[in-house]
Amino acid sequence: QVQLVESGGGLVQPGGSLRLSCSASGFFLDYYAIGWFRQAPGKEREAVSCISKSGSTTKYAGAVEGRFTISRDNAKNTVYLQMDRLKPEDTGVYFCAADIESSSCRGPSTWSYWGQGTQVTVSS
């Protein structure tokens, strides 16, 4: 079965850190650019970050730039999202997906193989 699985979410205080993992089952992540997305209660899903197939290109939403770091370990078939200096507005369900159209995080994208998500709650 082809799917992505997110893990690493939890409850953390403002200013704290979490590292999310996105692992692949049934296919190799190194063929794809991988994106992280999040959805807060009552809001639309939004893009958070993207890493190209090679890992040479990374992109971040303005709200997380400088606080989040995306990386990949193709040998482990896993992509990570290191989240530092977390804020209450970072709360939401975090998803990863593979871009089956572009491998570079540039240009049009078609996101597929969505995982079930992992909950991140930032609260004191």
Side-chain angles (χ1 to χ4, degrees):
Q1 185 178 3
V2 176
Q3 64 178 7
L4 293 171
V5 179
E6 302 93 341
S7 62
L11 172 64
V12 63
Q13 292 187 341
S17 297
L18 284 173
R19 187 176 80 156
L20 305 183
S21 298
C22 172
S23 300
S25 175
F27 69 106
F28 293 105
L29 275 183
D30 55 1
Y31 287 121
Y32 304 98
I34 300 297
W36 280 99
F37 301 79
R38 67 187 181 188
Q39 187 165 20
K43 294 189 176 181
E44 298 277 324
R45 185 170 58 195
E46 63 177 350
V48 174
S49 184
C50 178
I51 186 165
S52 63
K53 181 177 73 170
S54 67
S56 61
T57 298
T58 57
K59 287 192 169 182
Y60 300 92
V64 307
E65 183 92 49
R67 299 187 298 120
F68 290 12
T69 304
I70 192 170
S71 62
R72 66 192 303 156
D73 185 339
N74 287 338
K76 294 183 177 180
N77 217 22
T78 302
V79 169
Y80 303 98
L81 186 68
Q82 176 68 39
M83 307 188 296
D84 298 317
R85 303 197 305 278
L86 282 159
K87 303 176 181 181
E89 50 264 44
D90 294 317
T91 294
V93 180
Y94 283 69
F95 302 89
C96 61
D99 189 349
I100 61 173
E101 181 171 353
S102 171
S103 62
S104 65
C105 295
R106 298 189 178 102
S109 298
T110 301
W111 297 101
S112 185
Y113 307 137
W114 291 90
Q116 293 299 306
T118 185
Q119 176 70 46
V120 172
T121 303
V122 185
S123 176
S124 54

